[in-house]
Amino acid sequence: MLNQDVVREATRLTRAGQLVEATALLQRTLRGGTARTAIARLEPPTIDAKANVVEERESWQPAQATSVQERKRPAPSGGMREFSGLGLRGPIRRAPPSTSDIVPEGTRFIEGTFSNAAGSRTYKLFIPSRAQGRPLPLVVMLHGCTQSPDDFAAGTRMNFLAE
């Protein structure tokens, strides 16, 4: 089990935006190292890849969040009736995140679709302001099944970190 002081320090580093340092601290502790050693600055791994040009579709408005009911999926056995004792009246609905919460000024967050014989998938691509048409490294991030790319971007603030 992790020492609570290590967990607190990793949490503090994470909240301060020092994710590499927090990860290094946890990894070092799990390997049996001491938490008192200096935190080494790690360089992220570099993956060489060939960039492919994709057709851009500008997406200035965040995608509308859809509720479970709007997706037209059948409710699991009993649906929300199973939760009646919890005081829930139905699915919780919330407004989609605002554009200012997911797209830093001067950047783009475009929507695209990838298709092949197995089917197609939509995706969102963040393009930082310094891109200026040149190839840049690509970081792929997967959101949870109940999140949209906009929810993920707002919750993690990764677009702001990338910028």
Side-chain angles (χ1 to χ4, degrees):
M1 180 150 82
L2 285 175
N3 177 323
Q4 288 303 308
D5 292 333
V6 172
V7 173
R8 278 189 213 95
E9 178 63 9
T11 301
R12 184 192 68 74
L13 289 168
T14 300
R15 288 181 177 155
Q18 297 174 297
L19 302 179
V20 172
E21 291 84 352
T23 302
L25 175 63
L26 292 171
Q27 288 174 340
R28 189 174 50 255
T29 303
L30 290 170
R31 283 192 297 260
T34 173
R36 300 205 188 284
T37 59
I39 297 173
R41 177 80 179 159
L42 300 178
E43 290 298 321
T46 301
I47 300 172
D48 290 326
K50 181 179 179 271
N52 294 321
V53 177
V54 296
E55 182 178 322
E56 295 183 10
R57 288 187 294 170
E58 294 293 333
S59 176
W60 296 105
Q61 296 297 323
Q64 287 291 340
T66 57
S67 73
V68 174
Q69 288 177 340
E70 291 169 340
R71 291 184 194 145
K72 306 280 189 232
R73 292 183 184 162
S77 63
M80 291 303 291
R81 288 177 298 205
E82 295 175 16
F83 299 104
S84 61
L86 299 176
L88 298 177
R89 294 193 175 114
I92 298 170
R93 296 176 192 230
R94 59 181 166 69
S98 69
T99 302
S100 63
D101 288 335
I102 57 176
V103 185
E105 191 173 325
T107 66
R108 295 185 294 159
F109 197 37
I110 60 172
E111 185 175 300
T113 303
F114 173 79
S115 299
N116 66 13
S120 64
R121 291 284 183 257
T122 59
Y123 62 88
K124 296 283 289 250
L125 177 65
F126 174 74
I127 302 173
S129 60
R130 65 185 178 282
Q132 300 171 355
R134 62 188 168 101
L136 294 174
L138 175 68
V139 176
V140 177
M141 301 187 73
L142 304 175
H143 60 79
C145 62
T146 60
Q147 287 181 310
S148 71
D150 294 334
D151 290 338
F152 185 77
T156 63
R157 310 280 294 164
M158 286 305 296
N159 291 349
F160 290 86
L161 183 60
E163 177 59 15

